[in-house]
């Protein structure tokens, strides 16, 4: 599956992250910068800490997995990352970039695990209803649709045909 989606200005995003960290009293160390670079390069994916660590090893970085976890925690606390969990229960990370100011939705195939992002805000009417009826201003939301992707539906149809 292609990474597709919007084109990202990685230098601008790196600068934005650096400024946010600096304002919160953190430095963008070379290790943290390498982790952010992996997140930027894979911004259409939802990588786990271990997957980020593997990418860093491939790029010949030699710091520990604990550094990855600490950095992810800092970035999450600063609202630069969102921690998401899908059907596999593994914590994955979604970089909050300028094209993702509001959380997007996910389609997760329960058979093969493929995850697709929906970049339309499908819940703006619901947020207005919540504000009006409950006097609660929603700042963000998470919505995951579980089901079968087109490929798994096709495989299921083919499999069902062979059993008849």
């Amino acid at each position: 599956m292609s990474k597709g989606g919007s084109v990202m200005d990685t230098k601008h995003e790196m600068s934005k992250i650096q400024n946010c960290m600096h304002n919160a009293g953190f430095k963008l160390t070379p290790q943290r910068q390498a982790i952010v670079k992996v997140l930027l390069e894979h911004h259409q994916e939802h990588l786990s800490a271990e997957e980020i660590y593997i990418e860093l090893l491939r790029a010949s970085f030699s710091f520990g997995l604990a550094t990855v976890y600490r950095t992810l925690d800092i970035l999450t606390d600063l609202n630069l990352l969102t921690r998401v969990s899908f059907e596999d229960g593994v914590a994955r990370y979604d970089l909050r970039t300028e094209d993702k100011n509001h959380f997007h939705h996910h389609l997760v195939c329960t058979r093969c695990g493929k995850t697709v992002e929906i970049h339309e805000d499908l819940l703006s009417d619901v947020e207005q209803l919540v504000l009006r009826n409950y006097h609660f201003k929603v700042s963000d939301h998470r919505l995951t649709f579980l089901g079968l992707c087109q490929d798994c539906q096709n495989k299921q149809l083919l499999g069902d045909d062979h059993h008849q």
Side-chain angles (χ1 to χ4, degrees):
M1 189 168 128
S2 73
K3 292 182 185 173
S6 58
V7 176
M8 180 190 298
D9 181 352
T10 54
K11 285 184 181 179
H12 174 73
E13 290 295 332
M14 184 69 79
S15 176
K16 186 180 84 169
I17 291 167
Q18 183 174 7
N19 289 338
C20 185
M21 290 184 73
H22 177 75
N23 291 339
F26 295 99
K27 291 182 179 174
L28 188 61
T29 63
Q31 294 88 348
R32 291 175 180 162
Q33 189 169 0
I35 293 164
V36 169
K37 186 172 185 255
V38 168
L39 289 165
L40 288 168
E41 288 171 351
H42 297 272
H43 74 279
Q44 292 291 340
E45 301 169 50
H46 302 89
L47 299 180
S48 68
E50 291 78 9
E51 290 167 332
I52 293 167
Y53 182 67
I54 289 167
E55 290 298 319
L56 292 166
L57 291 176
R58 286 184 184 145
S60 300
F61 286 98
S62 60
F63 49 89
L65 182 57
T67 301
V68 174
Y69 275 108
R70 280 192 303 272
T71 300
L72 294 174
D73 286 344
I74 290 167
L75 295 172
T76 301
D77 290 345
L78 295 176
N79 203 30
L80 295 168
L81 276 184
T82 300
R83 186 180 291 119
V84 292
S85 293
F86 298 118
E87 286 295 288
D88 60 5
V90 175
R92 298 180 182 283
Y93 296 87
D94 199 7
L95 189 62
R96 296 182 66 102
T97 60
E98 286 190 356
D99 66 333
K100 294 183 186 178
N101 283 329
H102 203 59
F103 203 82
H104 51 275
H105 310 296
H106 296 96
L107 307 175
V108 178
C109 182
T110 55
R111 180 170 289 167
C112 72
K114 179 165 70 175
T115 302
V116 176
E117 293 182 354
I118 300 174
H119 290 280
E120 298 172 62
D121 187 355
L122 303 175
L123 295 180
S124 57
D125 291 342
V126 173
E127 288 180 5
Q128 291 305 312
L129 182 101
V130 167
L131 178 61
R132 194 170 51 249
N133 293 351
Y134 300 94
H135 309 288
F136 185 86
K137 183 168 177 25
V138 176
S139 60
D140 209 348
H141 59 263
R142 293 175 176 84
L143 181 62
T144 302
F145 294 94
L146 303 175
L148 293 179
C149 68
Q150 187 68 53
D151 290 342
C152 288
Q153 289 176 54
N154 291 341
K155 288 177 188 170
Q156 187 176 36
L157 286 174
L158 288 175
D160 289 346
D161 288 345
H162 292 323
H163 295 318
Q164 292 179 357

